[in-house]
Amino acid sequence: MRTLKVALLGCGVVGAEVARHLALHQDDLTARIGARVELVGIAVRRPDRLRPGVPEDLVSTDAAALVARGDLDVVVEAIGGIETAGALIRSAIGHGASVVSANKALIAAQGAELHRAAREAGTDLFYEAAVGGAIPLLRPLRESLAGDRVNRVIGIVNGTTNFILDKMDSTGEEYEAALKEATTLGYAEADPTADVEGHDAAAKATILAGLAFNTRVTTDQVFVEGITGVTAADMAGARAMGSVVKLLAICERHPDGESVTVRVHPAMIPREHPLASVRGAYNAVLVEADAAGRLMFYGPGAGGAPTASSVLGDLVGACRNRLAGTAGSGDAVYRELPVRPMGEVVTSRHIELDVEERPGVLAAVAAVFAEHGVSVDTVRQHRGSTGTSLTVVTHRATDAALAATVEAVAGLSQVRAVTSTMRVESR
Amino acid sequence: MRTLKVALLGCGVVGAEVARHLALHQDDLTARIGARVELVGIAVRRPDRLRPGVPEDLVSTDAAALVARGDLDVVVEAIGGIETAGALIRSAIGHGASVVSANKALIAAQGAELHRAAREAGTDLFYEAAVGGAIPLLRPLRESLAGDRVNRVIGIVNGTTNFILDKMDSTGEEYEAALKEATTLGYAEADPTADVEGHDAAAKATILAGLAFNTRVTTDQVFVEGITGVTAADMAGARAMGSVVKLLAICERHPDGESVTVRVHPAMIPREHPLASVRGAYNAVLVEADAAGRLMFYGPGAGGAPTASSVLGDLVGACRNRLAGTAGSGDAVYRELPVRPMGEVVTSRHIELDVEERPGVLAAVAAVFAEHGVSVDTVRQHRGSTGTSLTVVTHRATDAALAATVEAVAGLSQVRAVTSTMRVESR
């Protein structure tokens, strides 16, 4: 029986789980692959760190030498970051190894280039773990739905922000307090920027859009708005209309069918929406396709073991291909569809205004909406102890028209403040 | 560019959708496969039937001659039934073609034999559409989770029964009335036996268990109880404890880890269970694995277009393998784990008794439970206008012990009738 040589780059939370599973389930893996998998080296930064269950004699600090051995079948990259990881992967591919990565930032930034290198070298490049943790998502998009036409992918792909928004929804507290709690509980990193500003979700949206529409999307084409601007007032506004606020990654075919839009931003969704009940650190992604209809994939979106599950699945796939002497590079791109800017996305808005209590306010506000060609779905006027508020939910219009409307309404003399404005995704 | 020849057996609801999509999305399929797919023949029983969008000149009635052409790359079987379909698939494989099938009954009955034939011929045998309609399920189990260890698969895999139980739950009506409605609306076939008696779900459970545990399971090893015995009283009992009744397919590793159990039966699940909110003709399957944790797959479980989506995904997969000169037969079995009978399954029960209103009833009932080693989770006594009822929910015990307990309780002089008894799955 043939032995396939595997090297592991990085032995942190994910890498250590991969190493442990490789040892623990060796018999199953051998049976499933039809060959023995041998872990021949683990590159780490801190070799003296204690790693229970990880074979010490395989640990080294020279990642560059490891990937350049020349006899590797598969390299598993679990170090994260862009520059070093990218260079190591290019070297591994150049030396004939297939690559499995969990690195969304790298794939979003350099996917095209890395896929080209893998194709030329005849090796695989898989990264199921980069999006949705343990959830099988990229393979179903690339393979199971390969005979269908995907029109929309909408999902919760960042557990940290989902945990924070969840907290804000259930406690009524402001963003800063919820973030603090998330940090204390380990749901948010010490520097949470990549999560809370939406960059992590945007990298995942970039990857999802490429697979869903078979077109190249780059991170700078993705509209990103994080959750740092979400307020307790936004959450209360959502609650009042039977909705909840989620940070969504949305990849859609534009109505013209010949272009796409890709965006990450907080949005209100109805409580009966399938994504509304996704709690805490879980991820869920809806995929809408011509023939399949609407599918949902749900599961743990992060963490060592869940991420390792996806990495190991990719590893088995790469090993099977290696053994069969084939390599589908995993690149699904064969098209160049224009990616439209956020202003052209068709969406709707929830707008809450603090207004003066005198006749004619509603007429003035309605006139502004009409001027901008934005049609109104519902208006609700509420007289409270602190003043009068006006809640407007629009019909669908371009994001640019909606933004201009909000700006113009804010300039009205009768409007004291725009207390909340948020996009609404009802389906 | 190479052309791959595809034949279609059957042009009913599913077959016609496959033919239409092949014509409609030819460019995309060509790009995704890297070769042209040419539909060279469609075998039907009634050639004179009108089939909009299906090329008439390809239609013939001689399926046997079609699969024996010898130049076919892939045969798509969408005729259903076991004997004829099985013979045609064997012939197709024998003549060197890969096969895509949507036929759960056939695969459950002859999967082992057909996989052996495919392996020997070096062709593929795929059947994603056989379980869960459009939902990518078998490929994720076989590939995405190939590096993990699956412990449990639990799901709603039959839309007809789910629709009927849903109706019973929302209207309070009896089974017969709900079935009539399902038939009128087209959710149940004229002869609904295979669905309502659980055989359809059992075939799917057979396939799921084989993939999940890499072991051969045969249909006769699957415990099957349909929904014809579910009463309005059962539904009311479920409602009273915040639960709902679903027909579940459950594949589990036995606590000993070295054997498995596979079963289909109605069960009460809590309303907050992820499967409780699955409505109408939708399907959903939970997969629990060591590293991944709990994943859920959800989507349309039947219908022409959704089923065609899965068939086409398999077709693209088979074509890609054809082109690469490889064939993973798709068989995941490499073990022979014993399949334990229903009596040894560990589960729990909800039991509702109509009892005489005199002291000592509870003591007598409790004594029977104790005698059988079945521990009680909760007891609720209810005095109504029509008499006194006792509702018992047990802790987990073997199904044999639970069944014996129910029988013994029914024999008590103080118990007038067992008005409802149903298994409970709380997780």
Side-chain angles (χ1 to χ4, degrees):
Chain A
M1 181 172 283
R2 195 168 147 191
T3 296
L4 297 171
K5 292 186 173 148
V6 175
L8 179 56
L9 309 181
C11 203
V13 184
V14 174
E17 282 289 339
V18 171
R20 270 193 285 272
H21 269 78
L22 278 178
L24 202 62
H25 299 311
Q26 185 143 46
D27 289 352
D28 274 314
L29 291 171
T30 302
R32 290 174 193 174
I33 293 167
R36 244 176 54 80
V37 169
E38 190 192 348
L39 188 56
V40 298
I42 306 174
V44 302
R45 262 187 311 179
R46 284 163 296 187
D48 44 349
R49 213 167 116 187
L50 213 66
R51 297 181 174 86
V54 174
E56 246 177 81
D57 53 321
L58 298 181
V59 171
S60 86
T61 53
D62 195 347
L66 181 57
V67 298
R69 280 172 55 137
D71 66 342
L72 297 177
D73 290 289
V74 186
V75 171
V76 174
E77 181 268 310
I79 51 177
I82 294 188
E83 293 315 320
T84 308
L88 289 170
I89 288 179
R90 275 188 295 277
S91 170
I93 291 171
H95 286 88
S98 286
V99 169
V100 174
S101 169
N103 193 329
K104 57 235 157 195
L106 172 64
I107 301 299
Q110 303 183 3
E113 182 196 330
L114 295 174
H115 271 301
R116 198 179 315 118
R119 197 165 43 241
E120 281 165 13
T123 70
D124 278 322
L125 171 63
F126 292 150
Y127 39 87
E128 180 67 75
V131 186
I135 311 170
L137 197 55
L138 306 190
R139 188 183 298 270
L141 274 174
R142 207 177 57 223
E143 301 183 8
S144 308
L145 288 161
D148 208 332
R149 179 184 162 92
V150 175
N151 295 311
R152 189 166 181 248
V153 177
I154 173 169
I156 294 170
V157 294
N158 181 276
T160 304
T161 49
N162 198 48
F163 178 90
I164 294 171
L165 292 173
D166 233 30
K167 269 280 151 222
M168 290 177 70
D169 180 47
S170 59
T171 63
E173 62 195 9
E174 288 287 356
Y175 166 75
E176 288 299 340
L179 169 63
K180 201 168 286 176
E181 201 163 341
T183 311
T184 307
L185 293 172
Y187 286 107
E189 293 181 43
D191 176 3
T193 313
D195 291 316
V196 299
E197 297 290 1
H199 302 307
D200 173 83
K204 292 165 178 170
T206 306
I207 297 171
L208 286 172
L211 279 170
F213 307 129
N214 307 108
T215 194
R216 186 69 66 204
V217 176
T218 55
T219 33
D220 57 304
Q221 294 173 314
V222 179
F223 174 82
V224 191
E225 186 184 307
I227 64 160
T228 56
V230 178
T231 64
D234 295 330
M235 304 304 279
R239 241 192 326 274
M241 57 180 258
S243 292
V244 61
V245 177
K246 294 285 185 189
L247 182 70
L248 300 178
I250 307 175
C251 318
E252 287 177 316
R253 268 185 216 282
H254 196 67
D256 69 5
E258 297 305 315
S259 58
V260 299
T261 58
V262 191
R263 52 192 165 122
V264 168
H265 56 73
M268 292 185 185
I269 56 174
R271 283 205 190 259
E272 63 273 18
H273 191 286
L275 295 176
S277 54
V278 177
R279 293 267 170 278
Y282 276 78
N283 281 192
V285 175
L286 289 169
V287 177
E288 295 171 12
D290 262 4
R294 196 182 223 195
L295 307 169
M296 182 157 101
F297 302 81
Y298 173 91
T307 307
S309 175
S310 282
V311 167
L312 289 161
D314 277 351
L315 176 60
V316 170
C319 286
R320 284 173 175 166
N321 283 353
R322 198 85 184 170
L323 213 59
T326 65
S329 80
D331 192 11
V333 169
Y334 56 85
R335 251 211 218 98
E336 292 199 28
L337 298 177
V339 181
R340 288 179 182 262
M342 188 62 198
E344 297 178 26
V345 168
V346 178
T347 175
S348 55
R349 277 281 182 139
H350 174 274
I351 304 156
E352 223 166 84
L353 308 171
D354 178 5
V355 297
E356 305 205 325
E357 199 171 339
R358 56 173 152 116
V361 172
L362 182 56
V365 169
V368 171
F369 277 83
E371 274 161 33
H372 287 82
V374 172
S375 122
V376 169
D377 182 63
T378 54
V379 184
R380 207 168 49 96
Q381 201 160 184
H382 180 76
R383 286 197 178 78
S385 53
T386 56
T388 301
S389 71
L390 211 62
T391 306
V392 183
V393 180
T394 74
H395 279 145
R396 284 162 67 82
T398 64
D399 200 66
L402 293 166
T405 307
V406 173
E407 208 185 309
V409 164
L412 286 175
S413 65
Q414 301 95 328
V415 172
R416 282 200 285 247
V418 177
T419 50
S420 168
T421 170
M422 189 165 283
R423 295 181 185 89
V424 176
E425 292 292 323
S426 47
R427 65 189 179 97
Chain B
M1 182 173 280
R2 194 167 148 192
T3 296
L4 297 172
K5 291 184 174 152
V6 174
L8 179 57
L9 309 181
C11 201
V13 183
V14 174
E17 282 290 338
V18 170
R20 271 194 285 273
H21 268 78
L22 279 178
L24 202 62
H25 298 312
Q26 185 143 48
D27 289 353
D28 275 313
L29 291 170
T30 303
R32 289 173 193 173
I33 293 166
R36 245 174 56 81
V37 169
E38 189 189 348
L39 188 57
V40 298
I42 307 174
V44 301
R45 262 188 311 180
R46 284 163 297 187
D48 44 349
R49 212 168 116 189
L50 213 64
R51 297 180 175 87
V54 174
E56 246 177 81
D57 53 320
L58 298 181
V59 171
S60 87
T61 52
D62 195 347
L66 182 58
V67 297
R69 279 174 55 139
D71 66 342
L72 296 177
D73 291 288
V74 186
V75 170
V76 174
E77 183 267 309
I79 53 178
I82 295 188
E83 293 315 322
T84 308
L88 289 171
I89 288 178
R90 275 189 293 277
S91 170
I93 291 171
H95 285 88
S98 286
V99 169
V100 174
S101 170
N103 193 331
K104 58 232 157 200
L106 172 64
I107 301 298
Q110 303 183 2
E113 181 195 332
L114 294 175
H115 271 300
R116 198 179 315 117
R119 198 167 40 243
E120 281 165 12
T123 70
D124 278 322
L125 172 63
F126 292 149
Y127 39 87
E128 179 68 74
V131 186
I135 311 170
L137 198 53
L138 307 191
R139 187 184 298 271
L141 274 174
R142 206 177 57 225
E143 302 184 6
S144 307
L145 288 160
D148 208 333
R149 179 182 162 94
V150 175
N151 295 312
R152 188 167 183 249
V153 178
I154 174 170
I156 295 169
V157 294
N158 181 275
T160 303
T161 48
N162 198 49
F163 179 88
I164 293 171
L165 293 172
D166 231 30
K167 270 280 150 223
M168 291 177 69
D169 180 47
S170 59
T171 63
E173 63 195 11
E174 288 288 357
Y175 165 74
E176 287 299 340
L179 169 62
K180 201 168 285 176
E181 202 162 342
T183 311
T184 308
L185 293 171
Y187 285 107
E189 292 181 43
D191 176 3
T193 313
D195 292 317
V196 299
E197 296 291 0
H199 302 308
D200 173 83
K204 292 165 179 172
T206 307
I207 297 172
L208 285 173
L211 279 171
F213 307 128
N214 307 107
T215 193
R216 185 71 62 205
V217 177
T218 56
T219 34
D220 58 302
Q221 293 173 314
V222 180
F223 172 82
V224 192
E225 185 185 308
I227 64 161
T228 57
V230 178
T231 64
D234 294 330
M235 303 303 281
R239 242 194 323 275
M241 58 179 259
S243 292
V244 63
V245 177
K246 295 285 185 189
L247 182 71
L248 300 178
I250 307 175
C251 317
E252 286 178 317
R253 269 185 216 281
H254 196 67
D256 69 5
E258 297 304 315
S259 58
V260 300
T261 57
V262 191
R263 52 193 165 120
V264 168
H265 57 72
M268 292 186 185
I269 55 174
R271 282 202 189 262
E272 62 273 17
H273 192 286
L275 295 176
S277 55
V278 176
R279 293 267 172 279
Y282 275 78
N283 281 191
V285 175
L286 289 170
V287 177
E288 294 171 12
D290 263 2
R294 196 182 222 194
L295 305 170
M296 181 158 101
F297 302 81
Y298 172 89
T307 308
S309 175
S310 282
V311 168
L312 289 161
D314 277 352
L315 177 60
V316 169
C319 285
R320 284 173 174 165
N321 283 353
R322 198 85 185 170
L323 213 59
T326 65
S329 80
D331 192 12
V333 170
Y334 56 85
R335 252 212 216 97
E336 291 200 28
L337 297 178
V339 181
R340 288 178 183 263
M342 189 62 201
E344 297 179 27
V345 168
V346 178
T347 174
S348 56
R349 275 282 183 141
H350 173 274
I351 304 156
E352 223 167 86
L353 308 171
D354 178 4
V355 297
E356 304 206 327
E357 199 170 339
R358 54 174 153 115
V361 173
L362 184 55
V365 169
V368 172
F369 277 83
E371 275 162 32
H372 288 81
V374 172
S375 124
V376 169
D377 181 63
T378 55
V379 184
R380 207 165 49 95
Q381 199 159 187
H382 180 77
R383 286 196 177 79
S385 53
T386 56
T388 301
S389 71
L390 211 61
T391 305
V392 184
V393 181
T394 75
H395 278 145
R396 284 161 67 82
T398 64
D399 200 67
L402 293 166
T405 308
V406 172
E407 210 184 308
V409 164
L412 286 176
S413 66
Q414 301 96 324
V415 172
R416 282 201 285 248
V418 177
T419 50
S420 167
T421 169
M422 189 165 285
R423 296 181 183 90
V424 175
E425 292 292 324
S426 48
R427 68 195 174 95

